[in-house]
Amino acid sequence: MVKDGCAHVKPAAATDLSVFLLVTWSLWWQTGHEDHVGPDPPRIIFSAGKALHRGALGWKAEWLLSIIRLLRLSPTLDGLEVSVALKQGQVTPTELCQRCLSLIKKTKFLNAYITVSEEVALKQAEEAEKRYKKGHSLGDLDGIPIAVKDNFSTSGIETTCASNMLKGYVPPYNATVVQKLLDQGALLMGKTNLDEFAMGSGSTDGIFGPVKNPWSYSKQYREKRKQNSHSENEDSNWLITGGSSGGSAAAVSAFTCFAALGSDTGGSTRNPAAHCGVVGLKPSYGLVSRHGLIPLVNSMDVPGILTRCVDDAATVLGILAGHDPKDSTTIQDPVKPFTLPSLTDVSKLCIGIPKEYLTPELSSEVHSLWSKAANLFESEGAKVIEVSLPHTSYSIVCYHVLCTSEVASNMARFDGLEYGHRCDSSVSTEAMYAATRREGFNDVVRGRILSGNFFLLKENYENYFVKAQKVRRLIANDFVNVFNSGVDVLLTPTTLSEAVPYTEFIKEDNRTRSAQDDIFTQAVNMAGLPAVSVPMALSTQGLPIGLQFIGRAFCDQQLLTVAKWFEKQVQFPVIQLQELMDDCSSVFENEKLASVSLK
Amino acid sequence: MSVQASPTLFMASASAAVAALSDVITFKRVARLGEDALRRPTGSEMWARAVHLCLRAAARGRRGFTSKADPQGSGRVTGELIQHLERLSLVDFGSQEAVARLEKAIAFADRLRAVNTDGVEPMESVLEDRCLYLRSDNVVEGNCAEELLQNSHRVVEEYFVAPPGNISWSKLDEKQPFPHH
């Protein structure tokens, strides 16, 4: 946890005494109300202070800051707060970098990172520090630690896609989105773990092993488990992060970085975001460049953004969005970075609730939270209406056909000749290709390639592939019709339930799980719309549940504005990993034993 | 699926490969193989080939990778289809479970038949209403041949080295020249 306090809080017209009383009361309140879910008085006060004097810092706030540091009142910071802290010299980029690196070491058992680029990050931190000293910071992201999913090419840093096929592959260039972040001065902490080639919904099928959900080790979850008096070894029943950007979600959730890049083809950013209690944004297709993102489905892939709050997601999106001459599928319209307005009045909003998303598999808890959210909007004056997306039940099937077909084509580039794994056989080119691909790809990838090629066979092309393309148009039209009828934003669940234990998850195969878990998220990819998963509340087991907002194409700003309002209303609690951080040694031991016994 | 080896490209690479000391295939063998591919087979050769194919088919049938062995199979995934798909994809099924998974995937995809798509145009991209601009054909970067060659396992001077490309792939051929029973 980053223990540095807010750098900018300055209660309006406060005298020293009243500030002192405020701080003391906040401390008393927090110690007595650790389990509180919902609006949190100390945070409201800090937010108010923030709103009043963003960026301005007087000597009173500095004094307050040192009190906060002593009392450790503000356990978490969002990116903007840290950015201000950096600008004001409250913390240096090197300090921040080292804290994050030590956190990464402490949370190694989560297996969130494949490669930790320590030297690179420290070097970047040094440069950021020089810039801050001169007062020439590059922007909001200068000196902020970030992580990148391992299917984005990073120059000089191994990019594996969690596959044997690319193990040891070092790209000679940076993906455009990575380059944009580095140009803003962000510190690259490392490459995060994923499902092999981003195929999966659990982050369990990569060659570096599964990613563990930090919430498995949270105080909130563990206390609930103790109440249910489970006698089994806690550490062997850890939960999945969801996928396929599970490593990125876990990295952000465990405070090892402030933002992470994921990719979203069928929900791969929003699914782990919901399970790990972070914000997962899928921008509109065509807004963010895909150059350097190792492609899965060219017509649906989008780089995703994972952060701890909606404001940070908006900041990162503002930097990443825009035309890229290297990606012809990015739109030409100019895009400027934006700050999200703080909505106070939602009475002009129209929220749509798609009735077909109420499936029997939806867990009752998620359902009740979904209803609660709808009621929240209604009670604040928004218009909440039921809408229909009639082809919803076919959308997962359509996605399955299109995805496997495009995958079959995209995976053809891996032949072992120019890069990546190569087998030892040299009898003939085709034999070499076949052996290389057999050794390089796992069952999931091979299965999808074979299915895809089946659908692309001459005799099947019309009946499967073209048919799926037609159904895709019907699905995209469903959304267009709904938005044309006056709806601004759709509100749906992100996942069927909270995160499940790994032992439960692996009972079904990857394809079945993906078909189940992507159900609410993939239709959005097919229509190319923006969507964001916002964590709402904890379940009865103490695990995060997120809800999804879907916006009109290229109206990402409006979507995020609504999401920000919602986030402020629900005040999702912070994950309490403090216990774990301070007392790592015994947990580590158990962890090792647990992981050995699972094999 | 365009993994089909291009004869000209790989013949060029093959000749480069020949120059490499570490490469197993000798010039004579390459030349002979090349000649074999170009020259029309004689009668006795064709006969031998037919026998070979029959034996191969028999051995494949014995492998049991067909759906007939699978009680749940719809029978759509025949042995021939499996071979065809493996040849196109240049990945193998690997196990009976993989075949079963394909069957389930096909059954899943069959649900699309229930949708009425009369008069609906296929949608290739969500950005179909917009013009996609290609950048102008000017060289602005490049000259990084060395960097690119570094990622390959087998390189000779500025060539990627590949084994001969005019040999049709067969799993059995690779593992053993004639099938065992």
Side-chain angles (χ1 to χ4, degrees), chain A residues 438-453:
Chain A
R438 186 196 313 139
E439 289 167 19
F441 291 142
N442 71 0
D443 287 338
V444 176
V445 180
R446 296 209 312 263
R448 288 204 193 188
I449 294 172
L450 290 161
S451 307
N453 276 318

Side-chain angles (χ1 to χ4, degrees), chain A residues 1-7 64-77 82 85 90-91 95-96 99-100 102-103 106 255 258 308 577-583:
Chain A
M1 266 191 237
V2 181
K3 297 194 179 84
D4 300 306
C6 301
L64 185 67
L65 181 65
S66 41
I67 300 274
I68 291 166
R69 269 208 202 104
L70 275 169
L71 303 176
R72 285 155 40 170
L73 267 182
S74 179
T76 59
L77 290 176
V82 164
Q90 301 305 317
V91 62
E95 265 170 22
L96 195 58
R99 276 177 184 279
C100 287
S102 80
L103 258 174
K106 281 189 188 158
F255 307 108
F258 287 87
R308 288 198 281 278
L577 288 173
Q578 188 57 31
E579 217 175 62
L580 183 69
M581 301 300 180
D582 290 342
D583 180 48

